[in-house]
Amino acid sequence: MNPWPIILADLRSLRWIAWAVPLVVAIAVAIGIAVSAQDQALRTASARAADDFDLVIGAPGSQTQLVLTTVYLQPDAIGLADGALLNRLANDKRVAAAAPIAFGDVVHGYPVVGTTTSFVSRWGRLQPAEGRTFAAENEAVIGASVALQLGATVTPSHGMAHHGSLGAEDTEEYAHRHEEAQYRIVGRLPRQNSPWDWAILVPIESVWEIHGLGNGHAVDEAPLGPPFDAKTVPGVPAILVKPKSVADAYVLRGEYRKNGTMALFPAEVLVAIYQTLGDVKLAMVVVSGFNNALVLVATVALLLTMVGLRQRRYAVLRALGAPRRYVLLAVWLGTAGLLTAGCVLGLGLSLLASWVAGSVIEARTGLHLAVTLGWSELAFFALIILCGSGMALIPALFVYRRPVSPNLRSSA
Amino acid sequence: MPPSAAVSPSLDIENLMVTVAEGSGRRITILDVPALSVAPGERLGIAGPSGAGKTTLLHVLAGLLPGSGRLAWGAVELSALPEVARDRWRRDNVGFVFQDFALVPELSVLANILLPISFDHWRVPAHLRARAIELATEMALPETSRRALLLSRGEQQRVAVARALLCCPRLILADEPTASLDADSGAAVIDLLIGGARKTGATLIAVSHDARFLARLDRVVHMEQGGLITASTNDDGERP
């Protein structure tokens, strides 16, 4: 038995519908898969970006904003924590390392982040991919995605609330230049697939000095980094702490949640964000599920109508000797084939859509979303194919059950 | 490859009756044939006004429409066979020609002729493909790759005749095969049907209003209101 000649003839007779049906199904399936895949990729990328931020201490305020500003470099004005904490933490036996970070300036749209070499190397984990780390106040290390050359000299501009285009100095940035300050780029960090790939890292002392706050040390010529002078060190937006142990982390978090400071694990904030994202995702998945179901029902109804118009063809086949199962198979395979083609096309479209969305998100946040299809997306894909194939039985059974003689007489 | 001439069994009907339910639920008789025998290799015409039951009788003879009574093809009691067996019998023994050709317009001439082979085979056996091409040549259809949609009506009916003759059926059923054709095309189809039946020794039963066609058959039965009224033998019919 070979129903392919009839399947091909039926598809040809559908003309543009044979193209439209898979396309409509593909769009519906792609939305469902892309939502799920994108959500997973966003969670993975955002969690990875927070890997080196074990404990963040800042001034009391919004925990979410503190995480967004420190981990994801989303510019916003946040309160300053007492700079004297830096020395306390440096001398705390439960702390393996601590580093201040300060924001506020930009170079060609890239955020300038003041910190210490300890955090530039991510607590010793990273070495510059090119050049070296900064060793003087007028030196800078750039992230992997910063479009500047080693050896280049740049002038920072005050631009906390300004979102310039990356890689170019626009007129507003130019107007707010700190003309007295310049950085020479001496190193480039390896790619971390996080917003920090776009950052220009400079000694925190230079940030303080540019803003007229001294250099955080008792003398002008003091070496970079800790210890700082507790009496003169300015306040900092955030202090990143690497505790020696998990237990120490919890103790430090509790200790620094009072007396004018706020301490948090970025993971706990991310969990709350994921919870919200999860609720949104669930809503979108449900809507997408209804969308898919509606598209499948509408498609099957359309194909049922088309099959109804071809009843005489199937009656003729029966008159020529075709068994009922031949027409059942021809109609089922034709319908299921169209729906399956739509699903496969939808899978490809979902990857394309996720790649486009990932590129947009990366361009806006620096988060690199590696979209892959997990079991849940593949299960969803398989479920849609299964449902579509099952629903394709409706027109097939409709034809299967039709009597031959009356349909031979019909003009359809 | 020349077709093999097979001996056709006789076709016998006894007390055949087909009823259908009306909208009110009452059943009405649309076919009532007390007795009819068709001899092996006979060419029988069925004539009568529209609604007389001619096509219904043809469908019953093809095993497409079950009725009460007895229908036998030689030793095979068709009326007692289940539907699957009737399908198999029709596939093995019957060639069908319709008034409107009933081709699949999206398929080529050759694919249409070979279509019945797909009911049983995944691939078309070489000898059947060769026979299809031979039939197409006989039917003056040289362009076998052309889509049926693009053929003239006469050509389409010739494709339908080739399809019916492909497997050397022992029973050829034709339902108004010339009704949709002009005089010349109709004459050609009559020649092909009668010639094809003669060559294979098949029994030919044709419903027709075409006097030229009926005149060339061995016998014509006239139907009216679902029953056989008269039977006439053509003395000048083309005997095998």
Side-chain angles (χ1 to χ4, degrees):
Chain A
M1 187 182 295
N2 179 7
W4 289 115
I6 290 300
I7 294 171
L8 291 177
D10 284 353
L11 290 177
R12 281 177 186 158
S13 73
L14 283 175
R15 296 163 188 262
W16 62 269
I17 294 175
W19 295 101
V21 165
L23 200 61
V24 170
V25 173
I27 291 169
V29 169
I31 291 170
I33 293 178
V35 164
S36 177
Q38 200 68 35
D39 173 77
Q40 190 56 47
L42 191 59
R43 287 169 190 242
T44 306
S46 56
R48 196 187 301 121
D51 275 352
D52 291 317
F53 299 76
D54 299 310
L55 179 66
V56 181
I57 297 175
S62 162
Q63 294 194 12
T64 303
Q65 191 55 57
L66 184 61
V67 170
L68 289 176
T69 306
T70 55
V71 180
Y72 304 108
L73 298 180
Q74 295 295 307
D76 204 345
I78 56 176
L80 301 178
D82 183 3
L85 286 176
L86 287 166
N87 282 354
R88 265 179 62 194
L89 287 164
N91 296 323
D92 194 316
K93 289 180 179 173
R94 297 163 299 186
V95 174
I101 51 174
F103 322 93
D105 292 339
V106 292
V107 168
H108 295 190
Y110 301 113
V112 174
V113 182
T115 186
T116 60
T117 53
S118 180
F119 189 69
V120 170
S121 68
R122 297 296 175 108
W123 319 120
R125 184 172 64 80
L126 289 183
Q127 289 298 317
E130 294 176 63
R132 58 175 173 77
T133 189
F134 53 71
E137 281 193 23
N138 65 344
E139 290 182 344
V141 177
I142 56 177
S145 299
V146 174
L148 292 171
Q149 299 295 318
L150 261 62
T153 302
V154 293
T155 303
S157 298
H158 191 73
M160 182 72 180
H162 170 62
H163 298 266
S165 55
L166 290 175
E169 183 182 37
D170 60 18
T171 51
E172 191 173 346
E173 183 183 323
Y174 184 82
H176 291 83
R177 272 184 163 197
H178 298 290
E179 292 291 359
E180 72 286 3
Q182 281 197 327
Y183 292 111
R184 191 167 62 86
I185 295 164
V186 296
R188 184 190 298 276
L189 293 171
R191 185 169 299 282
Q192 297 168 77
N193 293 321
S194 83
W196 285 73
D197 287 336
W198 287 349
I200 295 176
L201 281 65
V202 299
I204 193 163
E205 288 88 345
S206 69
V207 175
W208 286 330
E209 286 211 86
I210 286 171
H211 293 91
L213 302 170
N215 67 359
H217 297 280
V219 293
D220 283 348
E221 300 304 319
L224 295 180
F228 297 102
D229 176 34
K231 291 179 183 167
T232 59
V233 65
V236 287
I239 301 169
L240 308 178
V241 179
K242 183 174 176 58
K244 282 185 176 167
S245 69
V246 173
D248 290 336
Y250 277 94
V251 172
L252 287 165
R253 173 174 164 271
E255 202 169 293
Y256 284 94
R257 291 191 108 166
K258 51 195 174 190
N259 301 328
T261 56
M262 176 173 70
L264 56 88
F265 302 138
E268 63 187 320
V269 175
L270 288 179
V271 166
I273 294 173
Y274 293 161
Q275 182 70 48
T276 308
L277 276 178
D279 293 344
V280 173
K281 179 196 169 187
L282 181 64
M284 290 187 76
V285 165
V286 169
V287 170
S288 166
F290 275 116
N291 181 31
N292 280 301
L294 274 177
V295 166
L296 283 182
V297 168
T299 302
V300 169
L302 172 69
L303 294 174
L304 186 59
T305 306
M306 301 306 293
V307 164
L309 293 173
R310 286 198 299 265
Q311 282 187 68
R312 181 149 196 278
R313 169 178 294 185
Y314 305 122
V316 166
L317 292 176
R318 299 274 290 115
L320 294 176
R324 280 186 191 270
R325 64 178 187 279
Y326 179 92
V327 290
L328 175 88
L329 202 58
V331 175
W332 179 70
L333 282 176
T335 310
L338 280 180
L339 296 176
T340 303
C343 290
V344 172
L345 186 62
L347 193 65
L349 269 182
S350 72
L351 287 173
L352 181 67
S354 297
W355 179 77
V356 171
S359 300
V360 171
I361 290 173
E362 186 171 4
R364 292 176 66 97
T365 67
L367 278 178
H368 176 72
L369 304 190
V371 178
T372 53
L373 296 179
W375 284 112
S376 61
E377 288 80 30
L378 293 175
F380 178 76
F381 171 69
L383 182 69
I384 294 287
I385 289 184
L386 199 66
C387 289
S389 300
M391 292 174 77
L393 275 173
I394 295 171
L397 287 171
F398 171 76
V399 171
Y400 180 86
R401 294 168 58 87
R402 300 298 291 172
V404 179
S405 183
N407 283 321
L408 270 182
R409 294 167 184 271
S410 73
S411 57
Chain B
M1 188 189 73
S4 57
V7 178
S8 302
S10 63
L11 190 64
D12 298 298
I13 289 174
E14 286 175 24
N15 298 320
L16 186 71
M17 191 178 288
V18 175
T19 60
V20 293
E22 272 191 325
S24 62
R26 192 172 65 91
R27 299 198 73 82
I28 58 166
T29 301
I30 59 168
L31 188 68
D32 184 3
V33 181
L36 176 67
S37 283
V38 185
E42 183 179 2
R43 291 183 287 273
L44 175 74
I46 303 172
S50 296
K54 306 184 294 296
T55 297
T56 302
L57 176 59
L58 211 61
H59 288 180
V60 171
L61 295 177
L64 295 170
L65 187 60
S68 61
R70 178 172 176 267
L71 170 65
W73 172 250
V76 180
E77 293 288 335
L78 288 177
S79 47
L81 292 178
E83 185 187 74
V84 173
R86 287 204 308 274
D87 289 342
R88 160 61 61 186
W89 170 81
R90 194 162 56 250
R91 216 153 52 237
D92 293 343
N93 293 283
V94 180
F96 223 125
V97 180
F98 302 90
Q99 176 180 342
D100 63 352
F101 332 128
L103 300 180
V104 181
E106 298 84 7
L107 295 182
S108 69
V109 167
L110 190 62
N112 266 286
I113 296 173
L114 290 169
L115 190 57
I117 305 304
S118 70
F119 305 154
D120 266 335
H121 298 80
W122 179 256
R123 298 176 76 95
V124 178
H127 71 280
L128 287 173
R129 182 176 294 277
R131 171 153 171 75
I133 293 170
E134 181 187 299
L135 279 168
T137 307
E138 277 178 31
M139 307 278 164
L141 299 164
E143 292 183 73
T144 54
S145 60
R146 208 166 176 203
R147 282 203 189 173
L149 182 71
L150 304 172
L151 301 177
S152 69
R153 299 176 73 79
E155 287 172 324
Q156 288 191 48
Q157 192 60 306
R158 296 206 295 276
V159 173
V161 172
R163 181 180 64 188
L165 296 177
L166 177 69
C167 296
C168 304
R170 294 194 289 176
L171 174 62
I172 299 170
L173 301 175
D175 191 359
E176 300 278 12
T178 61
S180 300
L181 305 177
D182 60 38
D184 290 344
S185 298
V189 166
I190 292 168
D191 288 343
L192 291 169
L193 273 174
I194 290 177
R198 179 189 293 143
K199 198 181 283 185
T200 59
T203 301
L204 171 64
I205 301 176
V207 168
S208 183
H209 287 102
D210 189 336
R212 294 169 308 166
F213 190 17
L214 295 174
R216 291 179 63 181
L217 302 175
D218 302 327
R219 184 164 56 117
V220 177
V221 294
H222 292 266
M223 294 187 70
E224 209 162 285
Q225 293 184 335
L228 297 183
I229 302 302
T230 58
S232 58
T233 304
N234 283 332
D235 294 333
D236 53 351
E238 295 175 24
R239 296 285 177 195

